[in-house]
Amino acid sequence: GDSVTQMEGPVTLSEEAFLTINCTYTATGYPSLFWYVQYPGEGLQLLLKATKADDKGSNKGFEATYRKETTSFHLEKGSVQVSDSAVYFCALSGGSYIPTFGRGTSLIVHP
Amino acid sequence: NAGVTQTPKFQVLKTGQSMTLQCAQDMNHNSMYWYRQDPGMGLRLIYYSASEGTTDKGEVPNGYNVSRLNKREFSLRLESAAPSQTSVYFCASSDSFRVAKNIQYFGAGTRLSVL
């Protein structure tokens, strides 16, 4: 079946540091890939998505590129802020009604 | 824009008590979902409803029941609460007929403690 593996956290960074959160997946066919973000005390919300190979999703300074050859969708940001502190979930949708989520990676950004 | 609304936001139960978590969406979505979130476990799907009139088990359905009351509402019932059901519960919805559109929209969650 489909699966998503993302790096364990917490990831702790200083403000303005570069961020990478790794995500790899296993799926049949050509899934859509997503990053969701969960701020403290809130539900998940979509951060960005990519629907086909080599697509780059971007939002709020975050980027991720759909790499089919390496089955990866790593999340990056050039300069993190304290307000980026949250839990980030990688997910895929393979066309069924049931998306598959990774376990989440906690990001802590210090001033 | 309300999106997905969950009630209550917090609840404390005693072992053996029952309760229903309510969820409603105003986006005219076809599919709705219930998840639980536990530390280190990520999101686990309890039940889902692909469309009005249908419900199916997810990964962890034991101890729960659901009702898709209409297109807008999807409730989750705990018949006899157990401490193992202490968790944060999220309802989500999606327009699921096309792969690229299967974005999930989440409510703010219900924080449940079973003593």
Side-chain angles (χ1 to χ4, degrees), chain A residues 32 36 38 41 43 93 95 97, chain B residues 33 37 90 96 99 102 104 107 111:
Chain A
S32 292
Y36 287 84
Q38 182 182 29
S93 173
Y97 294 115
Chain B
Y33 313 78
Q37 184 179 33
F90 288 100
S96 62
V99 171
N102 200 15
Q104 296 218 314
R111 285 146 184 85

Side-chain angles (χ1 to χ4, degrees), chain A residues 3-110:
Chain A
S3 67
V4 174
T5 303
Q6 56 183 110
M7 59 191 291
E8 292 189 18
V11 174
T12 303
L13 295 173
S14 297
E15 205 164 26
E16 299 184 0
F18 184 85
L19 168 70
T20 300
I21 300 178
N22 291 334
C23 171
T24 57
Y25 68 90
T26 303
T28 56
Y30 300 90
S32 292
L33 301 175
F34 307 85
W35 278 101
Y36 287 84
V37 58
Q38 182 182 29
Y39 298 105
E42 299 182 7
L44 282 70
Q45 57 185 274
L46 180 71
L47 179 60
L48 54 84
K49 68 179 175 72
T51 59
K52 61 182 186 295
D54 300 324
D55 265 2
K56 178 184 285 187
S58 61
N59 186 24
K60 300 181 180 181
F62 291 89
E63 294 182 339
T65 301
Y66 189 143
R67 301 288 188 197
K68 190 163 179 63
E69 65 276 13
T70 55
T71 61
S72 64
F73 192 55
H74 304 321
L75 182 68
E76 298 182 335
K77 186 175 186 183
S79 176
V80 293
Q81 305 300 312
V82 172
S83 57
D84 294 326
S85 298
V87 181
Y88 293 82
F89 291 89
C90 185
L92 69 82
S93 173
S96 73
Y97 294 115
I98 309 171
T100 301
F101 286 87
R103 293 194 170 191
T105 301
S106 175
L107 171 65
I108 302 169
V109 181
H110 294 292

Side-chain angles (χ1 to χ4, degrees), chain B residues 4-74:
Chain B
V4 178
T5 303
Q6 291 183 236
T7 55
K9 295 189 186 307
F10 301 93
Q11 184 70 50
V12 179
L13 293 177
K14 295 181 180 178
T15 298
Q17 288 185 318
S18 63
M19 78 162 295
T20 300
L21 283 64
Q22 307 287 352
C23 175
Q25 53 92 8
D26 62 1
M27 295 171 283
N28 200 36
H29 284 166
N30 291 294
S31 299
M32 297 185 73
Y33 313 78
W34 277 105
Y35 294 91
R36 61 178 288 173
Q37 184 179 33
D38 302 291
M41 301 296 290
L43 287 173
R44 293 185 291 172
L45 183 66
I46 304 170
Y47 272 92
Y48 67 99
S49 171
S51 60
E52 186 179 358
T54 70
T55 61
D56 284 286
K57 297 177 180 179
E59 181 185 353
V60 288
N62 290 347
Y64 305 96
N65 286 299
V66 291
S67 295
R68 184 74 182 267
L69 303 170
N70 48 54
K71 192 171 185 178
R72 291 187 62 247
E73 299 174 286
F74 188 39

